[in-house]
Amino acid sequence: MKHFKILPVLLSVFLLTSCMDTDNKPIGVGDVLVVSKQIGNSTVYGISIYAYSLSPFESVKAVSHADKAKTYTLKANQGYKTNFYYEMPDNEYTTTKPAASTYDFTATFSEGSTQLFQDVITDKVLPLPIIEKCAYNTNIHALEIAWTLIENASSYAINILDGQTLVFGTTELLPTNKTYSVRADGGGWANGFTPTSGKTYTVKVFAYLYEQGGNSYNIQSTSVSETTAAWGN
């Protein structure tokens, strides 16, 4: 499971190795997502940008054809040099959806070579997930989460945060999934983390829309809603 604060998506080695050329030169893959979320009483939109490789990056930048004057500088995700990301700050989100565009990536690898690659996005977005339930069930000792299914959603995922720190994340859930139970002794928790009884955590539910003909490594957009829940008791 990869972590870039808003998305838990598995990085497939097969995806990248299948793109390697016969000279075994470093190969990068880029993915730009339109992000929808609520700030205050408004639904707002921004972007997140990701780059992956089997070889370590030295630097990655991206530029949209819709605004060539702006350069996005990606950074290593939790120190992983093969996984770079850019996450738009909240104060840059707007009530206007980002325009459909092609994004050009320029990646420099640690061994010195440079590669150019692209990702194309449309302006399609998903509505925000409606969280129907998020409460700890003392009978089964689990946090029960339920949400309303979104038409055309490709998958879902759950994150739990302690303050601003991601402490739990699922892999992507099927588009038919509308419930999930989180247990202290189950998988998905950050290494060494155990939820504290009586403590309140932030719970986020994500919906994903894949690019046309894409999969969980080629995502068009994601929408996210959040709530809070006390663990245990």
Side-chain angles (χ1 to χ4, degrees):
M1 184 183 72
K2 86 178 181 186
H3 160 55
F4 30 74
K5 293 187 179 179
I6 67 165
L7 282 180
V9 185
L10 289 177
L11 175 60
S12 168
V13 173
F14 173 77
L15 171 73
L16 292 172
T17 54
S18 66
C19 297
M20 296 290 263
D21 65 20
T22 55
D23 295 327
N24 291 321
K25 294 179 180 178
I27 296 293
V29 175
D31 196 18
V32 181
L33 290 72
V34 179
V35 182
S36 310
K37 61 183 178 180
Q38 184 169 332
I39 297 180
N41 295 320
S42 301
T43 299
V44 294
Y45 307 94
I47 60 168
S48 289
I49 307 174
Y50 310 101
Y52 317 99
S53 177
L54 292 178
S55 302
F57 291 118
E58 183 64 30
S59 65
V60 182
K61 296 182 183 297
V63 175
S64 168
H65 287 198
D67 184 6
K68 293 186 177 182
K70 183 175 179 61
T71 298
Y72 299 95
T73 300
L74 285 64
K75 62 181 181 180
N77 181 2
Q78 300 184 92
Y80 292 105
K81 300 283 283 185
T82 56
N83 180 345
F84 271 44
Y85 79 107
Y86 167 86
E87 184 175 307
M88 181 175 283
D90 282 355
N91 62 6
E92 294 185 18
Y93 275 70
T94 70
T95 54
T96 302
K97 293 186 295 184
S101 183
T102 297
Y103 283 76
D104 293 329
F105 290 76
T106 303
T108 300
F109 295 89
S110 296
E111 48 83 55
S113 66
T114 298
Q115 188 205 357
L116 307 179
F117 46 94
Q118 291 184 331
D119 189 49
V120 179
I121 62 167
T122 70
D123 62 354
K124 291 182 179 179
V125 298
L126 292 173
L128 302 184
I130 297 174
I131 301 174
E132 298 177 338
K133 179 182 181 180
C134 185
Y136 192 86
N137 186 327
T138 56
N139 294 322
I140 64 172
H141 305 290
L143 179 65
E144 294 185 316
I145 306 164
W147 58 94
T148 302
L149 293 179
I150 298 174
E151 185 177 1
N152 297 324
S154 303
S155 62
Y156 299 93
I158 308 293
N159 276 2
I160 298 177
L161 292 87
D162 182 2
Q164 298 299 313
T165 302
L166 181 69
V167 296
F168 175 88
T170 64
T171 56
E172 286 188 279
L173 307 173
L174 293 173
T176 53
N177 272 75
K178 57 182 180 179
T179 62
Y180 195 86
S181 295
V182 183
R183 292 175 171 78
D185 58 356
W189 294 102
N191 289 338
F193 184 86
T194 301
T196 301
S197 182
K199 187 169 184 177
T200 297
Y201 297 94
T202 299
V203 179
K204 295 188 177 185
V205 176
F206 296 87
Y208 301 122
L209 175 66
Y210 296 163
E211 294 178 9
Q212 185 174 3
N215 51 31
S216 58
Y217 321 109
N218 296 282
I219 296 175
Q220 158 62 30
S221 63
T222 181
S223 60
V224 55
S225 295
E226 66 178 70
T227 187
T228 58
W231 188 269
N233 295 343

